[in-house]
Amino acid sequence: MTSEQRYSGGCLCGAVRWSATGRPLYQGYCCCADCRRASGSGFVPFMGFPASAVAITGETLKVRSPAFRGGEALRNACPVCGGLVFGGEVGVDDSHTIYAGSLDDASLFAPTMALFLRDKPAWVVLPEGLEAFETMPG
């Protein structure tokens, strides 16, 4: 009998926590200008899960910005420490993008793709072998 993979994490101070079961739908790096600015880094490492597989506790600061394909992107950060934790609206969206930097066990992150390479700074070096996209995949 095999048990489902479990993931957990949260913000820097622990006021916002999340857990997920099952394998991520996708994992990778986003180098878009919005993710770079939101993270203060060259990219955001992310993992996508169905909303039904994710449990989130704690209140979040919701930051909205225009999305690449129209509409809004929603990032959730801790209102206490400011740590970015996940994307998407709980109870509304059918999936959530968890920021891999919030993982309790960072070794569980296994990226397979890189997004928005058109925006990647030259000083960002990504692992070899990733499926690469100039913007969002089709």
Side-chain angles (χ1 to χ4, degrees):
M1 176 189 228
T2 60
S3 62
E4 279 194 286
Q5 179 69 49
R6 295 192 180 277
Y7 296 80
S8 63
C11 65
L12 183 60
C13 74
V16 178
R17 297 285 304 159
W18 63 269
S19 63
T21 55
R23 299 259 176 226
L25 302 170
Y26 47 82
Q27 300 185 65
Y29 300 98
C30 183
C31 299
C32 79
D34 290 347
C35 283
R36 289 194 341 264
R37 287 184 185 109
S39 70
S41 181
F43 54 85
V44 166
F46 62 87
M47 303 170 12
F49 290 94
S52 60
V54 179
I56 297 167
T57 59
E59 294 297 315
T60 62
L61 171 65
K62 293 166 180 47
V63 180
R64 297 177 191 278
S65 62
F68 176 72
R69 292 193 173 131
E72 286 184 325
L74 175 63
R75 289 181 178 83
N76 292 270
C78 174
V80 178
C81 69
L84 283 175
V85 183
F86 69 98
E89 190 153 1
V90 175
V92 174
D93 293 322
D94 59 1
S95 65
H96 293 297
T97 302
I98 303 292
Y99 301 122
S102 71
L103 277 163
D104 289 336
D105 180 355
S107 72
L108 295 175
F109 180 57
T112 61
M113 67 174 69
L115 308 178
F116 285 93
L117 291 186
R118 71 172 190 195
D119 298 339
K120 182 182 81 60
W123 48 266
V124 169
V125 179
L126 296 171
E128 291 185 27
L130 299 175
E131 189 172 5
F133 299 93
E134 284 301 303
T135 59
M136 288 289 284

